[in-house]
Amino acid sequence: MKAIVIHAAKDLRIEERAPEEPGPGQVEIRLATGGICGSDLHYFNHGGFGAIRLKEPMVLGHEVAGHVTKLGAGVEGLAIGQLVGVSPSRPCFSCKYCREGMHNQCLNMRFYGSAMPFPHIQGAFREGLVAEAWQCVPADGLSAGEAAMAEPLAVTLHATRRAGEMLGKSVLVTGCGPIGVLAILAARRAGANHIVATDLSDYTLAMAKKVGADIVLNSGNATDALDAYKADKGTFDVLYECSGAQAALVSAIAVMRPGATILQLGLGGDMSLPMMAITAKELSLRGSFRFHGEYAMAMGLMQKGLIDVKPLISETVGLDEARRGFELASDRSKAMKVQISFG
Amino acid sequence: MKAIVIHAAKDLRIEERAPEEPGPGQVEIRLATGGICGSDLHYFNHGGFGAIRLKEPMVLGHEVAGHVTKLGAGVEGLAIGQLVGVSPSRPCFSCKYCREGMHNQCLNMRFYGSAMPFPHIQGAFREGLVAEAWQCVPADGLSAGEAAMAEPLAVTLHATRRAGEMLGKSVLVTGCGPIGVLAILAARRAGANHIVATDLSDYTLAMAKKVGADIVLNSGNATDALDAYKADKGTFDVLYECSGAQAALVSAIAVMRPGATILQLGLGGDMSLPMMAITAKELSLRGSFRFHGEYAMAMGLMQKGLIDVKPLISETVGLDEARRGFELASDRSKAMKVQISFG
Amino acid sequence: MKAIVIHAAKDLRIEERAPEEPGPGQVEIRLATGGICGSDLHYFNHGGFGAIRLKEPMVLGHEVAGHVTKLGAGVEGLAIGQLVGVSPSRPCFSCKYCREGMHNQCLNMRFYGSAMPFPHIQGAFREGLVAEAWQCVPADGLSAGEAAMAEPLAVTLHATRRAGEMLGKSVLVTGCGPIGVLAILAARRAGANHIVATDLSDYTLAMAKKVGADIVLNSGNATDALDAYKADKGTFDVLYECSGAQAALVSAIAVMRPGATILQLGLGGDMSLPMMAITAKELSLRGSFRFHGEYAMAMGLMQKGLIDVKPLISETVGLDEARRGFELASDRSKAMKVQISFG
Amino acid sequence: MKAIVIHAAKDLRIEERAPEEPGPGQVEIRLATGGICGSDLHYFNHGGFGAIRLKEPMVLGHEVAGHVTKLGAGVEGLAIGQLVGVSPSRPCFSCKYCREGMHNQCLNMRFYGSAMPFPHIQGAFREGLVAEAWQCVPADGLSAGEAAMAEPLAVTLHATRRAGEMLGKSVLVTGCGPIGVLAILAARRAGANHIVATDLSDYTLAMAKKVGADIVLNSGNATDALDAYKADKGTFDVLYECSGAQAALVSAIAVMRPGATILQLGLGGDMSLPMMAITAKELSLRGSFRFHGEYAMAMGLMQKGLIDVKPLISETVGLDEARRGFELASDRSKAMKVQISFG
């Protein structure tokens, strides 16, 4: 079977990998669709990010859906042929954080396609995937492309839950890549009222508008794009910071209301922040990292039609076009979510 | 000008009241629509409820909308002719609870149409109403009937906020009168996933289904209507108890998940509760009473089309038909929200 | 080895039980002290409580401490001869509630000395006890009697955490048995300011006063004992209801401040509650059941001298006097916590 | 009457000011003691801090206590001769933040001794002070020096409440000036278990140890002072960052446990922060600014002996020695809290 393997920056290869057999409690999946995520692009374009660097070849991919082809011993609740999303979150369930229910902080996490430990955790962009049955969430009624979106959607649902109740809130989203746009959908679903989104790309802003942002602002066109929201110490109750860019976060801090919550999703390096404003306005800056229980929640909300991710899937390429898919996904002026069809 | 005045149980009269002039910071409203609430019905049918009894004639009504006809000195942000909802919540803003932001607990509350203090607080079912400008929330784009629904909707938004984050939650609603049905809308808007509703009336259950409940159950038909939800200690994360009936609450406690939240909105007398289950499952039973800031929130969510209350307005009667309106509203098998048109 | 076995109400026997060998990850404990808890007394006096009834002989006891006498394979961090408290909380760590960190809601809980499932879960009042190493919390520096108090103290720490921040709060405690008195210690440790305690026994109230209650009131002497706290809708921010008595809870509701939290620890049957007051004052009634992580927390706070439980230990009897200990503990006018010395 | 007036950096003068008469609802206070705060020192040493600069002469001081000498019309609950602390927090009670109970975010705040608006808000270091009666909190049983400490203590109580429940938590305090040392007292009072404190001064660390820190570390002596706390992603549940120094915050982030809370109290300029760690460990960085209701809480806790601030008062100087007091207070190797006696 074929897999998409990154060897170094720009060195992406389609390689053969030996198929595996599902053991007890496991299932075999024939992959249908894999979405390209920002971290996949970091490996593809830069060989890693921050201190996390590729040290050996690694199968990429963690946004995947496919059809069940074989059931290991003792598996119940899944059927041959059924479409499932496969959660890439594989905590150990026994370390101290797992025992407290903080699975995304697991000390032994084996998240698909991560170069963090060595040997690396191999990813899920492979024609055949053996996974634990509990990773597999039925996606009946959805397309494989939608099912594969459960993963990034879960990231934004997790962040939204960290913000507490959202009903009637004013929300700012900085950075309108796939995570930012999904954050708009999540915030709206959770009851946000006014939603403003910023980015440097008119393409992504058009998408933000399409999925429900009330106002979109190109922050590259005007340094004072948010000035209208500065009155009375600031306007927004919640910020989803999805750009990972210091300039975006600093600009946003100036328009956050006293007591507001900042959800930091964007992954960036060190940032110089105006601590005086954070302190004096009593802002609450909360990191938000991956998800766990929200994967099934994401699937459920899509299945009920309560969140529609279809507009985000801007292009689907074949497995043999994977490189083109990665290049396309790297261009924020042309593509939102790019997915690979595994056949 | 005419007003709808209750003198005693079943003694409802249309009477003349002297018009008032708006003082500084006040406005005069020509009433367009008034919705009949459960507490209005208690006065109409029983002369009060619990220890709260009518002791003098009282103008009824607190769910009202109308058009601005005169602006007192210094009023800004409102225009002659503009449709507004008028919040009946009139706290003193200076008692200790107001100073903590708990306006619905104001020690000197003057909520329209309340027999609680004596002299009673006169209500808003009158052709002309003088109100503080800050009570008036612009309702541009809505019908007067919708604008009048901001009040009961605010009750359910307030309760929803008390439940904390709602995203993906399983919700049970017991009692599908107007508050129960609005609770379904509020829970859905806040991100609830699975919503089950119970009542004794097929009419109200049909309405619950229409506005979005996934499953409706007539609890009068079967004492074990909720049995399917008892597995693993219970199913629901949140209960909106809107019936005020002990039987409903007791049945619901058996199907609440450990750690679940019960929002008590229904007004009833003493209830005998299974404290062992509440303690052992660590349920959290929270009273929810009226609202304050949620009035404007309710209007805003309706204006943006994020909540649609129109299906609930089952009948609108003229001022001269007020008695018929009250009788109709008292019959839960025939009417959901009945409103009075003031011309 | 000897064990304290309950066969039926009042039928308490000292019986021989075969000793066990510690397996991998387990340790053998030579029991030093066992405290008699309210649930032990229910079995002793009534053969159970509510729907929970003895159906076979059961070793009692779950408040225990002793010295490590043997280490099973792979055990680290414990030493032969070391004094440890043994947590009776034995969740499965794999059911859905355990995976969410709600271990006290485990679907397969094996809490020492519980007649809830059948066969019953045998208790810890036995001279030799084999336990999992993770149940054992080092108690160096404490007496065995103090170490055995970690269990009931953990119950009140768990409840206190459920109340959220406690700094400067006004607290009411109803019911001054061991749990009520420990609740006073826990509330004070968490920063409570004014603490009032009620009970029907002057003996327990004297103890409440001794450990730090500011004011103690015998609610049997005057039905209006709490009247002074009714002004402005009520006074107390937090109630620890430790009596399990309807009269105590109802009286307390009348003096709770709007928005207050009621922690229900007392185990009682059904109670008739004034729902109107709960709703209108937006009280939050939260069950609190057992504990999990708070066991080690309790030991740590005692070891640092931050909580002193010694005053509560009113009598220690020998194993052969166990029946006298149970009878003494049943008389709230003469004893607070009675412990059994195992040799 | 004399007042302590700052004209520019290092230009501190004792000047005459005309006495005022208390109006209705006001009282006249004969000042007894005033504590020198970090912001007073910023004006004294640098003429301001950040963008906040002196533009006209300003009476300094906001940590004050004194005796009531005259009661304005209608004042109740205070007596001539009574010792009171005077809260410097004077919100408008009518702006939108006040109405939500967020008084420390008041848009029209008149906090004593602030150069933020122009004209500046004059401070309280004056022999006679006319204040609103509601600012005055009885301090019977305390010394005037202790009563003056209610203000900085309130700052740390406010921060502690923002951290939520504290029982059994592991706490790190960076920066052991008066706010840091009071944070240790506040955290301990709220139930913290293990408390570690860092600073660059052995003098302040000795004080931290004296008031209850378990371990104190001079972070100037070793860059790896906190290395022992890095295991398993980090150790501390709560950080009180009281230094305003980037190096302290960055070092602390590395030893915070996943999900930990950082309370930012120290006032500093921009800081470059490791956002990757904040995001990946899902830390919550919350600004904490001044206080409001916690002023009376601070006084109450001191009056009951639950918090003892006396060890912090390292020197008291006379009004005519004010300059010496300011210089002494500026030297963190020699003084903790320096207070001025007004006679």
Side-chain angles (χ1 to χ4, degrees):
Chain A
M1 66 168 195
K2 290 176 188 159
I4 301 176
V5 184
I6 187 81
H7 284 248
K10 300 293 180 184
D11 184 0
L12 188 79
R13 307 181 197 174
I14 311 293
E15 296 181 340
E16 282 294 320
R17 286 285 188 277
E20 300 167 57
E21 274 300 302
Q26 296 184 322
V27 297
E28 184 194 70
I29 310 285
R30 176 161 189 82
L31 217 66
T33 303
I36 301 173
C37 167
S39 67
D40 296 319
L41 293 173
H42 274 291
Y43 293 121
F44 173 71
N45 287 306
H46 312 295
F49 47 103
I52 302 170
R53 317 301 309 180
L54 277 176
K55 294 176 188 157
E56 60 179 342
M58 182 175 78
V59 177
L60 287 175
H62 54 269
E63 303 179 359
V64 295
H67 297 88
V68 177
T69 45
K70 209 178 283 185
L71 301 175
V75 172
E76 293 180 1
L78 294 174
I80 300 291
Q82 189 170 27
L83 177 67
V84 297
V86 185
S87 172
S89 174
R90 296 184 297 177
C92 71
F93 292 113
S94 63
C95 74
K96 65 178 175 181
Y97 299 124
C98 281
R99 289 216 165 167
E100 293 176 28
M102 300 164 67
H103 303 99
N104 61 337
Q105 295 295 339
C106 172
L107 292 169
N108 311 297
M109 173 61 78
R110 293 174 58 251
F111 201 94
Y112 284 144
S114 300
M116 177 65 106
F118 183 85
H120 298 337
I121 310 298
Q122 298 296 314
F125 281 174
R126 51 180 97 188
E127 289 176 306
L129 180 67
V130 168
E132 304 297 323
W134 58 256
Q135 290 177 258
C136 299
V137 175
D140 308 79
L142 297 176
S143 68
E146 289 174 277
M149 292 293 284
E151 202 274 347
L153 177 56
V155 170
T156 62
L157 297 180
H158 177 72
T160 300
R161 294 179 70 197
R162 281 182 62 69
E165 54 100 359
M166 184 72 74
L167 200 54
K169 292 284 199 297
S170 287
V171 170
L172 177 63
V173 176
T174 50
C176 291
I179 291 297
V181 173
L182 289 167
I184 293 168
L185 286 169
R188 180 68 80 207
R189 184 66 262 152
N193 187 350
H194 194 63
I195 303 179
V196 175
T198 68
D199 199 312
L200 301 172
S201 155
D202 287 332
Y203 171 84
T204 61
L205 288 172
M207 184 69 76
K209 185 86 181 174
K210 187 173 177 183
V211 303
D214 295 292
I215 292 178
V216 297
L217 297 167
N218 191 316
S219 45
N221 297 347
T223 56
D224 55 358
L226 290 167
D227 274 6
Y229 300 98
K230 282 186 179 161
D232 291 351
K233 300 192 184 186
T235 297
F236 299 100
D237 300 298
V238 179
L239 167 67
Y240 291 79
E241 205 302 289
C242 305
S243 73
Q246 174 181 306
L249 178 50
V250 170
S251 298
I253 284 170
V255 294
M256 301 309 294
R257 194 181 196 279
T261 297
I262 297 173
L263 302 163
Q264 184 66 34
L265 292 115
L267 298 178
D270 291 6
M271 294 189 200
S272 180
L273 301 183
M275 295 304 287
M276 192 68 172
I278 290 173
T279 302
K281 293 204 288 185
E282 296 198 319
L283 303 182
S284 179
L285 169 63
R286 303 182 197 170
S288 187
F289 186 61
R290 294 176 178 163
F291 56 86
H292 189 71
E294 294 87 356
Y295 188 88
M297 183 190 292
M299 202 71 82
L301 292 171
M302 287 191 291
Q303 284 179 299
K304 293 193 66 161
L306 294 170
I307 290 185
D308 179 11
V309 299
K310 290 192 296 290
L312 277 76
I313 305 172
S314 49
E315 183 128 353
T316 304
V317 302
L319 174 52
D320 53 350
E321 300 172 294
R323 164 171 285 273
R324 185 174 74 81
F326 275 76
E327 280 165 357
L328 181 57
S330 301
D331 185 345
R332 288 271 291 274
S333 71
K334 290 187 187 160
M336 182 55 54
K337 177 59 69 181
V338 177
Q339 293 185 327
I340 296 166
S341 173
F342 282 77
Chain B
M1 65 170 194
K2 291 176 187 158
I4 301 176
V5 184
I6 187 80
H7 284 248
K10 301 290 179 186
D11 184 359
L12 187 79
R13 308 181 196 173
I14 310 293
E15 295 181 343
E16 280 295 320
R17 285 289 186 277
E20 300 168 58
E21 274 299 302
Q26 297 184 320
V27 297
E28 183 193 68
I29 311 284
R30 175 159 190 82
L31 217 65
T33 302
I36 300 173
C37 169
S39 67
D40 296 318
L41 293 173
H42 273 291
Y43 292 121
F44 173 70
N45 287 306
H46 311 295
F49 47 104
I52 302 170
R53 315 302 309 179
L54 276 176
K55 294 179 187 155
E56 62 178 339
M58 182 175 77
V59 177
L60 288 175
H62 55 269
E63 302 181 0
V64 296
H67 296 90
V68 177
T69 44
K70 210 178 281 185
L71 301 175
V75 172
E76 292 180 4
L78 294 173
I80 301 290
Q82 189 171 27
L83 177 67
V84 296
V86 184
S87 172
S89 174
R90 297 184 295 176
C92 72
F93 292 112
S94 62
C95 74
K96 64 179 175 179
Y97 299 124
C98 282
R99 290 217 165 169
E100 294 177 26
M102 299 165 67
H103 302 99
N104 62 337
Q105 295 294 340
C106 172
L107 292 169
N108 311 296
M109 173 60 78
R110 294 175 55 251
F111 201 93
Y112 284 143
S114 300
M116 177 63 107
F118 184 85
H120 298 339
I121 309 300
Q122 298 295 315
F125 281 174
R126 51 180 97 190
E127 290 177 306
L129 180 68
V130 168
E132 303 298 322
W134 60 256
Q135 291 177 258
C136 300
V137 175
D140 309 79
L142 298 175
S143 69
E146 289 174 278
M149 291 294 283
E151 202 274 346
L153 177 56
V155 171
T156 61
L157 297 180
H158 178 72
T160 300
R161 294 180 70 196
R162 281 181 62 69
E165 53 100 359
M166 185 72 75
L167 199 55
K169 292 285 200 295
S170 288
V171 170
L172 177 63
V173 176
T174 50
C176 292
I179 291 296
V181 173
L182 289 167
I184 294 169
L185 286 170
R188 181 66 81 207
R189 184 66 262 153
N193 186 350
H194 195 61
I195 302 180
V196 175
T198 69
D199 200 313
L200 301 173
S201 156
D202 287 332
Y203 171 83
T204 61
L205 287 173
M207 184 69 78
K209 186 85 181 174
K210 187 173 177 183
V211 303
D214 294 292
I215 292 179
V216 298
L217 298 166
N218 192 316
S219 45
N221 297 346
T223 56
D224 55 358
L226 290 168
D227 274 6
Y229 300 99
K230 281 186 179 162
D232 291 352
K233 301 193 185 186
T235 298
F236 298 101
D237 300 297
V238 179
L239 167 67
Y240 291 79
E241 205 303 287
C242 304
S243 74
Q246 175 181 306
L249 178 50
V250 170
S251 298
I253 285 171
V255 294
M256 301 309 294
R257 192 182 197 279
T261 297
I262 297 173
L263 302 164
Q264 184 65 34
L265 292 115
L267 298 179
D270 290 6
M271 295 190 200
S272 180
L273 301 184
M275 294 304 286
M276 192 67 169
I278 291 173
T279 302
K281 293 204 289 185
E282 297 198 318
L283 304 182
S284 179
L285 169 62
R286 303 181 197 170
S288 187
F289 187 60
R290 293 176 179 165
F291 57 86
H292 188 73
E294 294 87 357
Y295 188 88
M297 184 190 292
M299 201 69 84
L301 291 171
M302 288 192 290
Q303 285 180 299
K304 292 194 67 161
L306 293 170
I307 290 184
D308 178 11
V309 299
K310 290 192 296 290
L312 276 77
I313 305 173
S314 50
E315 182 128 353
T316 304
V317 303
L319 173 52
D320 52 350
E321 302 172 292
R323 165 172 283 274
R324 185 174 75 81
F326 275 76
E327 280 164 357
L328 181 58
S330 302
D331 185 345
R332 287 271 290 276
S333 72
K334 291 188 186 157
M336 182 54 55
K337 176 59 69 181
V338 177
Q339 293 186 327
I340 296 165
S341 173
F342 282 77
Chain C
M1 66 170 194
K2 291 176 186 160
I4 302 176
V5 184
I6 187 80
H7 285 248
K10 300 291 179 185
D11 184 359
L12 188 78
R13 307 182 197 174
I14 309 294
E15 296 181 341
E16 281 295 319
R17 285 289 186 274
E20 300 167 57
E21 275 300 301
Q26 297 184 320
V27 298
E28 183 194 70
I29 310 284
R30 178 163 187 79
L31 217 66
T33 302
I36 300 173
C37 167
S39 67
D40 296 318
L41 293 173
H42 273 290
Y43 292 121
F44 173 71
N45 287 306
H46 312 295
F49 47 103
I52 302 170
R53 316 302 308 180
L54 277 176
K55 294 177 188 156
E56 62 178 341
M58 183 176 75
V59 178
L60 288 175
H62 54 268
E63 303 180 359
V64 296
H67 297 88
V68 177
T69 45
K70 210 177 282 184
L71 301 175
V75 172
E76 293 180 2
L78 294 173
I80 302 290
Q82 188 171 25
L83 177 67
V84 296
V86 184
S87 173
S89 174
R90 296 183 298 176
C92 72
F93 292 113
S94 63
C95 74
K96 65 178 174 181
Y97 300 123
C98 282
R99 289 218 164 165
E100 293 177 28
M102 298 165 67
H103 302 98
N104 61 337
Q105 296 295 339
C106 173
L107 293 170
N108 310 297
M109 173 62 77
R110 294 174 58 249
F111 201 94
Y112 284 144
S114 301
M116 177 63 107
F118 183 86
H120 298 338
I121 309 299
Q122 298 295 315
F125 282 174
R126 51 180 97 190
E127 290 176 307
L129 180 67
V130 168
E132 303 298 322
W134 59 255
Q135 291 177 257
C136 300
V137 175
D140 308 79
L142 297 176
S143 69
E146 289 174 278
M149 291 293 283
E151 202 275 346
L153 177 57
V155 171
T156 62
L157 297 180
H158 178 71
T160 300
R161 293 179 70 196
R162 279 181 63 69
E165 54 99 0
M166 184 72 75
L167 199 55
K169 292 284 199 297
S170 287
V171 170
L172 178 63
V173 176
T174 50
C176 291
I179 291 296
V181 172
L182 289 168
I184 293 168
L185 286 169
R188 181 66 82 208
R189 184 66 261 152
N193 186 351
H194 194 62
I195 302 178
V196 175
T198 69
D199 199 312
L200 301 172
S201 155
D202 287 332
Y203 171 83
T204 61
L205 288 172
M207 184 69 77
K209 185 87 180 172
K210 187 173 177 183
V211 303
D214 295 293
I215 292 179
V216 297
L217 297 167
N218 192 316
S219 46
N221 296 347
T223 55
D224 55 358
L226 290 167
D227 274 7
Y229 301 98
K230 282 186 179 162
D232 291 351
K233 301 192 185 185
T235 298
F236 298 100
D237 300 297
V238 179
L239 167 67
Y240 291 79
E241 205 303 287
C242 304
S243 73
Q246 174 181 305
L249 178 51
V250 170
S251 298
I253 284 170
V255 293
M256 301 309 294
R257 192 182 198 279
T261 296
I262 297 173
L263 302 164
Q264 184 65 34
L265 292 115
L267 297 179
D270 290 6
M271 294 189 199
S272 181
L273 301 184
M275 294 304 287
M276 192 69 171
I278 291 173
T279 303
K281 293 204 288 185
E282 296 197 319
L283 303 182
S284 179
L285 169 63
R286 302 181 198 172
S288 187
F289 187 61
R290 295 177 178 163
F291 57 86
H292 188 73
E294 295 86 358
Y295 188 89
M297 184 189 292
M299 201 70 84
L301 292 171
M302 288 192 291
Q303 285 179 299
K304 292 193 67 161
L306 292 170
I307 290 185
D308 179 11
V309 298
K310 289 192 296 290
L312 276 77
I313 305 172
S314 50
E315 181 127 354
T316 303
V317 303
L319 174 53
D320 53 350
E321 302 173 293
R323 164 172 285 274
R324 186 173 74 81
F326 274 76
E327 281 165 355
L328 181 59
S330 301
D331 185 345
R332 287 270 292 274
S333 71
K334 291 186 186 159
M336 183 55 55
K337 177 59 71 182
V338 177
Q339 292 186 327
I340 296 165
S341 174
F342 281 78
Chain D
M1 66 169 193
K2 290 176 187 158
I4 301 176
V5 184
I6 187 81
H7 284 249
K10 301 292 179 184
D11 184 0
L12 188 79
R13 307 181 197 174
I14 310 295
E15 296 182 341
E16 281 294 321
R17 285 288 187 275
E20 299 168 59
E21 275 299 303
Q26 296 184 321
V27 298
E28 183 193 69
I29 310 285
R30 176 160 189 79
L31 216 67
T33 303
I36 300 173
C37 168
S39 68
D40 297 318
L41 294 173
H42 273 291
Y43 292 122
F44 172 70
N45 287 305
H46 311 295
F49 48 104
I52 302 169
R53 316 303 308 180
L54 277 176
K55 293 178 188 155
E56 62 178 340
M58 182 175 78
V59 177
L60 288 175
H62 54 270
E63 302 180 0
V64 296
H67 297 89
V68 177
T69 44
K70 210 178 281 185
L71 300 175
V75 172
E76 293 180 3
L78 293 174
I80 300 291
Q82 190 171 26
L83 177 67
V84 296
V86 184
S87 171
S89 174
R90 298 184 295 177
C92 72
F93 291 113
S94 63
C95 74
K96 65 179 175 181
Y97 299 123
C98 282
R99 290 218 165 167
E100 293 176 28
M102 299 165 66
H103 302 99
N104 62 337
Q105 295 294 341
C106 172
L107 293 169
N108 312 297
M109 173 60 79
R110 295 175 56 250
F111 201 94
Y112 285 144
S114 301
M116 176 65 104
F118 183 85
H120 298 339
I121 310 300
Q122 298 295 315
F125 281 175
R126 52 180 97 190
E127 289 176 308
L129 179 68
V130 168
E132 303 298 322
W134 59 257
Q135 290 177 259
C136 300
V137 176
D140 308 79
L142 297 176
S143 69
E146 288 173 279
M149 291 294 283
E151 202 274 346
L153 177 55
V155 171
T156 62
L157 297 179
H158 177 72
T160 300
R161 294 180 71 198
R162 281 181 62 68
E165 53 100 0
M166 184 72 75
L167 199 55
K169 291 284 198 300
S170 288
V171 170
L172 177 63
V173 176
T174 49
C176 292
I179 291 297
V181 172
L182 289 167
I184 293 168
L185 287 169
R188 181 66 81 207
R189 183 67 263 153
N193 186 350
H194 194 61
I195 303 179
V196 175
T198 69
D199 199 313
L200 300 172
S201 155
D202 288 332
Y203 170 84
T204 61
L205 288 173
M207 184 69 78
K209 185 85 181 174
K210 187 174 178 182
V211 302
D214 295 293
I215 292 178
V216 297
L217 297 167
N218 191 316
S219 45
N221 297 348
T223 55
D224 56 358
L226 291 167
D227 274 7
Y229 301 98
K230 282 186 180 162
D232 290 352
K233 299 192 186 186
T235 298
F236 298 101
D237 300 297
V238 179
L239 166 68
Y240 292 79
E241 205 303 288
C242 305
S243 74
Q246 174 181 305
L249 178 50
V250 170
S251 298
I253 285 170
V255 293
M256 301 310 293
R257 193 181 196 280
T261 297
I262 297 173
L263 303 163
Q264 183 65 35
L265 292 115
L267 298 179
D270 291 6
M271 295 189 200
S272 180
L273 301 183
M275 294 304 286
M276 192 67 171
I278 291 173
T279 302
K281 293 204 289 185
E282 297 198 320
L283 304 181
S284 179
L285 168 63
R286 303 181 198 171
S288 187
F289 187 60
R290 294 177 178 161
F291 56 86
H292 188 72
E294 294 87 357
Y295 189 88
M297 183 190 293
M299 201 71 83
L301 291 172
M302 288 192 291
Q303 285 179 300
K304 293 194 67 160
L306 293 170
I307 289 184
D308 179 10
V309 298
K310 290 192 295 291
L312 277 77
I313 305 173
S314 50
E315 182 127 354
T316 304
V317 303
L319 173 53
D320 52 350
E321 301 172 293
R323 165 172 283 272
R324 186 174 73 83
F326 275 75
E327 280 164 356
L328 181 58
S330 302
D331 185 345
R332 288 271 291 276
S333 71
K334 290 187 187 159
M336 182 54 56
K337 178 58 70 181
V338 176
Q339 292 185 328
I340 297 166
S341 173
F342 282 78

